[in-house]
Amino acid sequence: MTVETEVTAPEINRPEVVAELTDLFHRYEAALLASDTVVLDAMFLEGPETLRYGVADTQYGSDALRAYRAGQAPFTRTLMETRITTYGTDYGIASTLFIRDDLPDEIGRQMQTWLRTPEGWRIVAAHVSSVPAARMTDR
């Protein structure tokens, strides 16, 4: 199946859409740090297509993601270089770097793909990885 879409320059980063997604990104971050699994689960699209690649784990589908979140303890981190980019009114990407207090020599990287659904914005794919801080040269 081929899907053809065209997003024109004025539709990239429409201020009102960026504001919506930025607010959701910060709500996600607060829920993540508090290990608020109810909020986190609601932010991901329900279904087998949703996926998350973690630093040392992978979840395919919302059931696997819920099981993973159930065992995750609260933690702290500092975000850097957060970028929210939207395409049209229904699609966006949230990207950020972070440093966890318990892993100060690592730079974490996180990307989330968000899609507006009839129920609201949902994360459909996420990726979290880390690299030694000494290897990050383009910050």
Side-chain angles (χ1 to χ4, degrees):
M1 177 170 88
T2 302
V3 177
E4 294 184 29
T5 60
E6 182 177 322
V7 178
T8 60
E11 291 183 325
I12 296 174
N13 288 337
R14 290 173 61 168
E16 69 277 13
V17 182
V18 171
E20 270 185 275
L21 202 50
T22 299
D23 179 60
L24 284 166
F25 174 80
H26 290 298
R27 286 180 43 209
Y28 173 90
E29 183 68 14
L32 178 67
L33 298 182
S35 196
D36 186 338
T37 57
V38 172
V39 172
L40 292 170
D41 290 345
M43 292 189 143
F44 281 84
L45 184 68
E46 180 69 29
E49 301 81 11
T50 298
L51 65 96
R52 177 186 173 275
Y53 294 145
V55 174
D57 53 86
T58 302
Q59 294 82 46
Y60 293 105
S62 50
D63 290 340
L65 189 51
R66 265 192 296 283
Y68 168 77
R69 290 270 183 239
Q72 189 174 23
F75 61 92
T76 59
R77 68 182 187 176
T78 302
L79 301 182
M80 306 176 298
E81 302 292 333
T82 301
R83 310 265 172 105
I84 307 294
T85 306
T86 61
Y87 303 89
T89 58
D90 300 322
Y91 180 79
I93 297 173
S95 307
T96 195
L97 300 176
F98 61 87
I99 297 176
R100 283 182 55 148
D101 295 347
D102 56 338
L103 299 168
D105 296 329
E106 296 281 319
I107 301 288
R109 303 177 291 187
Q110 174 181 299
M111 292 187 80
Q112 300 167 331
T113 302
W114 290 76
L115 176 70
R116 187 191 307 267
T117 71
E119 294 77 32
W121 285 95
R122 298 293 185 267
I123 300 167
V124 296
H127 180 101
V128 182
S129 60
S130 66
V131 296
R135 291 183 49 203
M136 288 290 292
T137 59
D138 294 336
R139 287 202 327 222

